[in-house]
Amino acid sequence: MAEAESKHVYKKIPAWEILSNENIKQAFDFSEPYKRFLSEVKTEREAVIKIKQMAEQKNKNIMLNRVSGAAIFVSGIKPLSDGLRIVISHIDSPRLDLKQIPLFEDSDSSLALLETHYYGGIKKFHWVTIPLSLHGIVIKKDGDKITFRLGEEEKDPIFSVPDLLPHLSYDVQDTKKMQDAINAENLDIVVGSRPVKGEYKNKIKTAILEKLNEEYGLVEEDFISAEIEAVPAFAPRDLGFDRSMVAAYGQDDRVCAYTALQAILDIEKPNHTAISIFVDKEEIGSEGNASAQVTTFIRSLLKTIDPNVDLDKVMLKSKVISADVNAAITPNYTEVFELKNASAIGHGVVMSKYTGHGGKYSANDASAEYVSEIRKLLNSKSIPWQTGELGKVEKGGGGTVAKYFSRLGMEVIDLGPPVLSMHSPYEVTSKVDIYSAYLAYKAFLES
Ligand code: MN
Ligand code: MN
């Protein structure tokens, strides 16, 4: 006989039970254009181009912050002085950036390679032996800008960081700590092996330079004024016999960027003025002029909406969702999670009252009042949600852009889907969680 449980006990209900079969079908349908977005958008620059294109198709107001930030806004029924509803997500993801003078020839191995400096928090062993594509821009001596995107099409070549065979890795890798097994300076990408004929120094490097000059008109110095990112060349795919999940690169945080984008594109007349903001550089601490720390962008955006706006007053009355992912409970490693307070795949969008690490250090800690408001909103629309804390106390932690917006005097809370294998080349999310995020952002932006 099943033991009875008090009706006052909090139960974390799977999104699969909350959503109707019709809703679940919508969630699966929603994941199709999402996967296409992820395959088209693998860098922050590509995200901004796509976001702009989609906003213009829907006749929405968009303002760009240089080449890697954007905001879409929809005027509300209430005056601006009643405050805003903002959803902010980041469009940068961990990857390998090329160095300024990347190309060299290794004579011992007879290979041409590119030097990299990794961007954001990665586990270096994830990035060897996988197919990589190169995305970015190069600005030539005359100022001509070339856009690079090589390795995504079937006919394209791919690139890869080689690794040592197990037969020889005992001393230099196997017996070391995992984080030291692959040296960051060894994350060099192989780009060629065919030498030029004739009397040349560095024949393979020479051949690559010739090829780049022939195809793109580049010379080696042009790499200095370039931003080229090596990202996983994998295409997004359904995961599981039941196809319930999406595996793809860059879901932190483009799962939030995409759902927040769809949410703002799908609203017409919100109660308060609604803004969806997309920022860069979150993965390296939100530094830089297109990051969440740049308040001049939001100030200038508000002045565009209403030149006479009292900025401080509006900001003090504004409410924000920091749309970022949380860590999903990971099988075989449950000891790093405090399971009662951790988020799980398939249980809806994750609300994190606070982030930070040990002692809530560096956290945005949302007020109970604001938590209650978001909880009521989600419950009133039967949108699946759960709470989540990133790992056990003092076992790690993490930050989001939430604190930068709370410093402007706004109410801010973190809300986003849980992700398995976060910051890896192939991150995993659940289709019902993706859809829950979309529903949550839309309900919030409309409120
Ligand atoms: Mn993130
Ligand atoms: Mn991240």
Side-chain angles (χ1 to χ4, degrees):
M1 202 176 79
E3 281 175 58
E5 193 168 47
S6 161
K7 63 175 188 201
H8 303 302
V9 168
Y10 168 68
K11 282 197 198 80
K12 187 160 131 182
I13 303 166
W16 303 96
E17 281 176 35
I18 295 169
L19 297 174
S20 66
N21 285 342
E22 178 58 26
N23 289 153
I24 291 170
K25 189 186 173 300
Q26 283 163 354
F28 275 63
D29 291 346
F30 189 88
S31 74
E32 294 305 317
Y34 170 57
K35 283 182 287 178
R36 283 197 294 277
F37 178 87
L38 289 179
S39 68
E40 283 175 45
V41 169
K42 291 197 171 181
T43 68
E44 54 290 334
R45 283 173 185 267
E46 289 173 358
V48 165
I49 291 166
K50 187 76 185 167
I51 289 165
K52 182 168 179 276
Q53 194 185 21
M54 288 171 73
E56 283 167 355
Q57 266 169 17
K58 285 254 191 162
N59 290 317
K60 289 285 194 277
N61 295 302
I62 181 162
M63 190 167 142
L64 301 187
N65 186 2
R66 294 191 163 84
V67 293
S68 59
I72 299 172
F73 59 94
V74 181
S75 291
I77 297 163
K78 296 189 174 186
L80 210 52
S81 54
D82 280 13
L84 311 156
R85 295 293 176 271
I86 299 173
V87 174
I88 176 163
S89 56
H90 68 90
I91 48 178
D92 59 318
S93 295
R95 65 198 184 229
L96 305 178
D97 283 345
L98 297 198
K99 289 192 188 183
Q100 298 320 105
I101 301 178
L103 184 63
F104 70 101
E105 175 169 334
D106 178 60
S107 58
D108 294 321
S109 59
S110 288
L111 292 169
L113 301 109
L114 295 172
E115 291 278 359
T116 67
H117 189 142
Y118 66 91
Y119 172 98
I122 63 164
K123 288 163 100 171
K124 285 166 291 214
F125 68 87
H126 281 161
W127 293 78
V128 297
T129 75
I130 62 167
L132 298 170
S133 55
L134 296 176
H135 295 235
I137 57 134
V138 184
I139 301 169
K140 295 197 275 189
K141 194 161 77 180
D142 55 10
D144 245 22
K145 192 189 274 190
I146 295 168
T147 304
F148 239 84
R149 187 183 165 90
L150 196 56
E152 296 296 336
E153 307 299 323
E154 195 101 41
K155 61 172 173 38
D156 288 350
I158 55 95
F159 306 88
S160 197
V161 177
D163 194 18
L164 194 56
L165 63 170
H167 315 61
L168 295 177
S169 65
Y170 186 78
D171 282 349
V172 291
Q173 290 183 329
D174 302 357
T175 51
K176 289 187 173 170
K177 272 198 208 157
M178 198 188 238
Q179 64 186 52
D180 302 326
I182 307 276
N183 187 306
E185 279 295 350
N186 294 350
L187 290 174
D188 299 332
I189 302 169
V190 172
V191 295
S193 67
R194 179 178 175 174
V196 286
K197 296 210 192 278
E199 291 307 305
Y200 283 96
K201 206 170 133 189
N202 295 322
K203 289 183 186 183
I204 304 166
K205 176 180 171 179
T206 302
I208 297 292
L209 282 175
E210 295 285 319
K211 184 107 195 133
L212 289 173
N213 190 266
E214 208 176 282
E215 278 189 30
Y216 305 99
L218 296 185
V219 296
E220 192 173 14
E221 192 181 301
D222 294 335
F223 278 112
I224 296 174
S225 51
E227 272 178 34
I228 301 179
E229 307 173 9
V231 299
F234 310 130
R237 301 290 290 267
D238 284 345
L239 190 146
F241 288 120
D242 57 7
R243 295 180 172 266
S244 61
M245 292 167 276
V246 171
Y249 164 68
Q251 298 199 73
D252 173 9
D253 185 32
R254 292 193 278 267
V255 64
C256 297
Y258 180 78
T259 47
L261 171 64
Q262 285 300 353
I264 193 95
L265 294 183
D266 288 348
I267 63 172
E268 291 303 334
K269 205 73 200 152
N271 217 2
H272 294 82
T273 294
I275 311 179
S276 191
I277 305 180
F278 308 91
V279 292
D280 188 13
K281 304 284 189 244
E282 192 276 342
E283 297 295 358
I284 57 166
S286 293
E287 305 295 346
N289 57 23
S291 77
Q293 292 207 58
V294 178
T295 62
T296 38
F297 179 63
I298 178 94
R299 286 170 199 278
S300 129
L301 173 70
L302 294 181
K303 286 276 183 197
T304 308
I305 301 174
D306 176 4
N308 302 315
V309 69
D310 181 337
L311 285 171
D312 288 342
K313 225 178 196 167
V314 174
M315 293 203 269
L316 284 167
K317 279 200 170 177
S318 293
K319 290 172 181 174
V320 181
I321 283 179
S322 159
D324 208 342
V325 297
N326 206 312
I329 295 171
T330 311
N332 303 319
Y333 300 97
T334 52
E335 69 269 28
V336 300
F337 298 91
E338 193 271 276
L339 294 169
K340 295 186 293 306
N341 286 286
S343 62
I345 285 284
H347 288 71
V349 69
V350 188
M351 176 155 66
S352 305
K353 184 176 184 294
Y354 51 85
T355 52
H357 49 269
K360 295 193 176 179
Y361 193 81
S362 216
N364 167 66
D365 193 351
S367 68
E369 287 83 351
Y370 192 43
V371 173
S372 150
E373 214 178 298
I374 300 298
R375 175 186 160 203
K376 260 199 267 180
L377 175 74
L378 299 176
N379 283 342
S380 73
K381 304 208 176 239
S382 300
I383 297 169
W385 65 276
Q386 55 185 323
T387 72
E389 181 164 347
L390 203 150
K392 279 183 176 166
V393 182
E394 291 189 347
K395 286 288 173 226
T400 64
V401 300
K403 61 182 174 186
Y404 306 117
F405 274 66
S406 61
R407 283 176 196 166
L408 299 174
M410 302 179 181
E411 292 276 20
V412 190
I413 192 158
D414 279 290
L415 195 75
V419 172
L420 270 179
S421 310
M422 196 200 292
H423 281 210
S424 79
Y426 222 36
E427 300 174 317
V428 175
T429 54
S430 156
K431 290 183 180 176
V432 287
D433 299 335
I434 299 165
Y435 193 58
S436 300
Y438 162 73
L439 293 176
Y441 301 152
K442 186 159 176 274
F444 174 78
L445 288 169
E446 276 174 336
S447 71

